[in-house]
Each structure stands twice: as C-alpha cells, then as structure tokens.
Amino acid sequence: MMALQRINSLLVLLLLTLLGLGLGQPSFNPDRMYQRFLRQHVDPRETGGNDSYCNLMMQRRKMTSYQCKRFNTFIHEDIWNIRSICSTANIQCKNGQMNCHEGVVKVTDCKETGGSRAPNCRYRAAASTRRVVIACEGNPEVPVHFDK
C-alpha cells in the first residue's frame, strides 16, 4: 500500500513538472498561424473583388466547409508589403495584446448575406483601400492574425 502511494506521488510530481515546462500544453506555432493568415487573407493577384469573387474565394480558401464565416477580408498586396506592416510601431489589438501593427492596403471585404448554408455560402463584396490592423509574431515577425 505504501509503495502505491509513493508511485502515485511520483506520477503527480512528474505531471506537474511536465505542465510547468509547457510540455502538457499546446505550443504556439507562429509558422502555422502565418500559413493560416496567408490562406485566409492574402490574394496578391486581384485588385478588388465583386460578389462572385467573394463567393468563390471563401469556398476555395475553405472558409465555408462546415459553416459560413460571417466576415473576411482579402488583402491585395504582395506578401512582402504585408509583412512590412509588422515593422511599424506596435499598437494595441482588440484582445488587449500589444503585438498589432497598422498599414494601408487594397482589400476586398466579404460579408455573408445571411440565409445561405454551408458550403454554398453567399457573400456581398466591398473593395477599397483602407487601414488594416494585423497581429504579428515570431522572429522575424510575420502576420498571424487579421485584427480589423
């Protein structure tokens, strides 16, 4: 009985040590977040979209597979121009973090019209040149989240 208590104590101690080292928690991976950002928000070949553009791109970029993503923005700039936004002054993100940066880029905002069902979601497009805020992480810093 005493040996069983000792083993349990050692297992609990081992578990706490692993959690303290972060091995029991999912790790933040800036590269995976960067790839997701590219898939969801970057389309350098276009200069501005219409409703058909949004309907096609939202489906093609896998944002309508299970449910209709209500709103998404595509940035129509070279990735190096977008990455250069990460070198501007830090500003506060919507979540309170201080890893956001802002810049002016060409975009197409796609807003779900309502009433459509996945995977055949329908969107209304609005093309413009406007200020955007993106979160950046890593070394070197890369965009990982479109904030607004």
Side-chain angles (χ1 to χ4, degrees), residues 74-94:
F74 290 102
I75 303 172
H76 307 298
E77 299 283 347
D78 179 87
I79 187 55
W80 297 106
N81 291 345
I82 299 168
R83 284 180 65 160
S84 72
I85 294 171
C86 294
S87 63
T88 64
N90 289 47
I91 62 170
Q92 189 172 16
C93 305
K94 288 191 286 190

Side-chain angles (χ1 to χ4, degrees), residues 59-138:
Q59 203 166 42
R60 195 178 275 173
R61 299 289 180 95
K62 306 205 183 313
M63 290 179 275
T64 63
S65 297
Y66 303 104
Q67 64 184 26
C68 300
K69 185 174 182 186
R70 294 182 57 168
F71 188 85
N72 192 68
T73 300
F74 290 102
I75 303 172
H76 307 298
E77 299 283 347
D78 179 87
I79 187 55
W80 297 106
N81 291 345
I82 299 168
R83 284 180 65 160
S84 72
I85 294 171
C86 294
S87 63
T88 64
N90 289 47
I91 62 170
Q92 189 172 16
C93 305
K94 288 191 286 190
N95 68 2
Q97 298 276 335
M98 287 300 295
N99 63 325
C100 277
H101 307 266
E102 64 183 339
V104 176
V105 292
K106 294 182 294 255
V107 300
T108 298
D109 293 313
C110 301
K111 183 177 182 182
E112 202 256 330
T113 60
S116 56
R117 297 178 77 89
N120 299 312
C121 306
R122 296 290 163 243
Y123 292 89
R124 181 87 51 231
S128 64
T129 298
R130 68 173 177 88
R131 173 181 136 330
V132 297
V133 176
I134 59 174
C136 300
E137 292 284 345

Side-chain angles (χ1 to χ4, degrees), residues 14-66:
L14 178 63
L15 178 63
L16 291 173
T17 302
L18 289 174
L19 287 173
L21 292 172
L23 299 176
Q25 302 170 359
S27 61
F28 175 75
N29 185 339
D31 188 53
R32 187 175 8 185
M33 298 292 290
Y34 176 57
Q35 294 304 319
R36 182 175 186 226
F37 178 87
L38 293 176
R39 176 179 60 83
Q40 289 190 346
H41 300 293
V42 178
D43 186 17
R45 293 178 302 274
E46 288 291 325
T47 56
N50 55 26
D51 294 354
S52 297
Y53 169 83
C54 283
N55 294 335
L56 177 67
M57 289 300 290
M58 292 296 287
Q59 203 166 42
R60 195 178 275 173
R61 299 289 180 95
K62 306 205 183 313
M63 290 179 275
T64 63
S65 297
Y66 303 104

